[in-house]
Amino acid sequence: MSTLLSVRDLTMRFGGLTAIDDLSLEVPAGKITGIIGPNGAGKTTLFNCLTGFYKPTVGTLRLAHPRRGELRLEKLPSHRVARDAQVVRTFQNIRLFPKMTVLENLIVAQHNVLQRASRFSLAGLFSLPGYRRAEREAVERARTWLERLRLTQFADDAAGALPYGTQRRIEIARALCVDPVLLCLDEPAAGLNPRESAELNELLLYLCDELGIAILLIEHDMSVVMNVSDHICVINYGRKIAEGTPDAVKNDPHVIKAYLGEDDEEGVMQAYDETEERAS
Amino acid sequence: MSTVVFAHHGMTPAERLRDAGWIAFVALILGVPLIGLTTVDVGGRLAVDTRFGLLAVAVVAAFAGRLALRWAIDSLRAHKQSKARQHTADTLSSRARTLSMVLGWMALGVSIALPIFFSDNRYVVDTATTVLIYVMLGWGLNVVVGLAGLLDLGYVAFYAVGAYSYALLSTQYGWGFWEALPVSGALAAMFGILLGYPILRLRGDYLAIVTLGFGEIIRVVLLNWTEFSGGPNGISSIPRPSFFGLEFTRSAPEGGHSFASFFGLEFSAMHRLIFLYYLILVLALLTHAFVSRLRKLPVGRAWEALREDEIACKAMGMNTTNIKLSAFAIGAMLGGFAGVFFAARQGFISPESFTFSESAIILAIVVLGGMGSQLGVVLAATLLVLIPEFGRNFAEYRMLLFGMAMVLIMIWKPGGLLSHREPTLRLRDPRAKAATTEGAQ
Ligand SMILES: Nc1ncnc2c1ncn2[C@@H]1O[C@H](COP(=O)(O)OP(=O)(O)O)[C@@H](O)[C@H]1O
Ligand SMILES: [Mg+2]
């Protein structure tokens, strides 16, 4: 499988604090790569570097875009990472456009396509056919994702007024409307109940198997990350401490130590088994 | 237990007493020098006298007043919460929609008919024209503040740019109103971008302060650059707009017609006033159509998204720089148009018309109207122009009344007069949806 994103020697410092320390990582195309690690390990910071919100102190981020060739993400401003490199993210603390409706959220995500079709708003102002068609298509695309994520009934409600789990799904639907090549999800299962996380599993597999979207998944919910990931990378204190298939990672002594301290060697498996039981 | 019972009132009785106690204490501290001690004239010499009785009364009044105020605010809030719970979001929004529709059409009807009923009342037509100028300014600023969420305290600068552009173009180069209008609008838009560029990274309070400064810079430049702008004397004898080439003069120019002679009317000064009224009405309606349409286009949705969450905008691949600049440019252009009309109507402008208090009033109109609401701007502009007018009878209490009215409105409706937001597009027809939910009940 070809490599989609390759992170080389990435370091991110905030003053004296090194949030990411010489991290290298390969993200294969069309697969799900899990990123786990304790709180404060630097996972979100990695996403912020990837998506242009932080400029890495050191390191390169090469994206082998299927149509546009190699792009250096660390050199792009955040909006171009999403627009040109099609690397789209969600946020650990959901960031919707709360007063706008769910449908509007998904239409705003298609801003660049629509803005082009509206020709600096002129075609839009006079509602020319070309613009009308583009808008119809945008609504159709939004409708498809709304249906896929069981959000149709909320389409015309203000996004900020909906339950937490629903908002998580909206954020994913909105990211999908940007048409990502690489989708970066920051703890998408946080706050979901077991049934919702099971649905999330199914969705992630669908996106990657059917649509060929590569997914980078930060997740604490082991029932999600262990079940769907093809490959997992474990970070602690900004360093990669282990990498491999879910099974390999689960049994890696470094990982167990990072999660549970020196003594308790069985804890991580226990915690995992418990979440498994809860989910089923 | 009591905390639970009073949870939705915000405060327990003990907390209220403590709160009122603090206020009384502050009143006491302030009151000792202000009320408690006074100087009296004793045989030509000043002596200090004490009025502790009066002080006690004042402190007690402060205590009781604070208790009453808190109680009133809390019960008002509780009342509103219980009301909000009664209505489901759906019926509320469909009711708000019909209400704004009805209000909107009524306002349009009244504004068209007004000069017909008051064709000989100069005061009414003049005041209505002023209201419409503020409506137009409010709609322009609504783009920047209400939609894009960029707090702009220097909006009057663009109003000034528009006004001075027309004044200079017409008096120096003999341009007519209609030629100068687009050019002045474009100039104002350019100033909007010019201001927008350096403050792209600023948000909230910082943005407000810099825009305020910008507004003042423009005014101070106009005040001091005498060769260019006439300085404090301003620019006078600015030509009035004509009615398709027909001037509103008493006597027709040689070989031509004036408005009155062309239509065979008796000359009346009211003709021009009514014409100006309809002119600003048309300009305002065009502004409204323009802004409402923009709101439903990608650029308008991007403005609102920017207001909601700038970081999320970037994550969606939106170039927030361009979005902000477009909001500043469009807002400034509309302000410029209003400025052109203002100059043409007054015939005389000076920097005094473009002080910070104008910016504050326009901003108050947008906030009071309910950020982003077009109809809210109309209501707020009407109120803010009319309250001081009615207040004329109260002479020096006028501004006090004005301030009180604003405070009361903000307590009564913290989100503005019309805070309901209409979605820019829907998946389903709203009426069909209302019908299905009603059927389900
Ligand atoms: N903008 C910032 N400024 C300073 N420190 C930061 C910043 N962003 C993250 N950090 C620090 O970097 C470390 C990693 O944080 P983060 O990436 O959010 O962890 P997590 O793995 O839980 O997502 C934390 O110690 C955090 O405090
Ligand atoms: Mg995190």
Side-chain angles (χ1 to χ4, degrees), chain B residues 372-386:
Chain B
S373 163
Q374 295 284 94
L375 189 61
V377 165
V378 179
L379 288 183
T382 313
L383 270 179
L384 287 201
V385 175
L386 290 192

Side-chain angles (χ1 to χ4, degrees), chain A residues 129-149:
Chain A
Y131 172 70
R132 281 216 303 276
R133 185 166 357 98
E135 198 184 56
R136 255 198 321 274
E137 281 166 11
V139 172
E140 274 320 304
R141 176 192 279 259
R143 190 201 297 275
T144 314
W145 285 120
L146 287 174
E147 271 160 24
R148 189 68 191 67
L149 281 105

Side-chain angles (χ1 to χ4, degrees), chain B residues 62-108:
Chain B
F63 183 79
R66 178 64 183 186
L67 267 185
L69 183 69
R70 275 245 68 101
W71 178 81
I73 291 176
D74 283 352
S75 56
L76 207 71
R77 193 178 303 149
H79 176 67
K80 262 215 330 242
Q81 272 176 359
S82 67
K83 233 171 57 180
R85 266 195 298 264
Q86 278 166 13
H87 297 290
T88 63
D90 266 349
T91 59
L92 206 69
S93 91
S94 73
R95 259 186 31 194
R97 195 178 317 122
T98 38
L99 182 72
S100 7
M101 285 271 282
V102 171
L103 275 178
W105 285 109
M106 255 167 56
L108 181 65

Side-chain angles (χ1 to χ4, degrees), chain B residues 400-421:
Chain B
L400 194 68
L401 200 76
F402 179 82
M404 248 170 56
M406 282 202 52
V407 170
L408 285 180
I409 293 174
M410 283 329 268
I411 290 179
W412 172 53
K413 286 222 164 236
L417 292 172
L418 290 177
S419 49
H420 170 72
R421 177 184 177 277

Side-chain angles (χ1 to χ4, degrees), chain A residues 79 95 99 104 112 124 156, chain B residues 293 308-309 317 421 424 427:
Chain A
H79 73 272
R95 283 184 173 274
K99 286 201 191 124
E104 283 176 313
N112 289 312
D156 298 326
Chain B
R293 182 76 198 133
E308 299 289 293
D309 196 323
R421 177 184 177 277
T424 56
L427 203 57

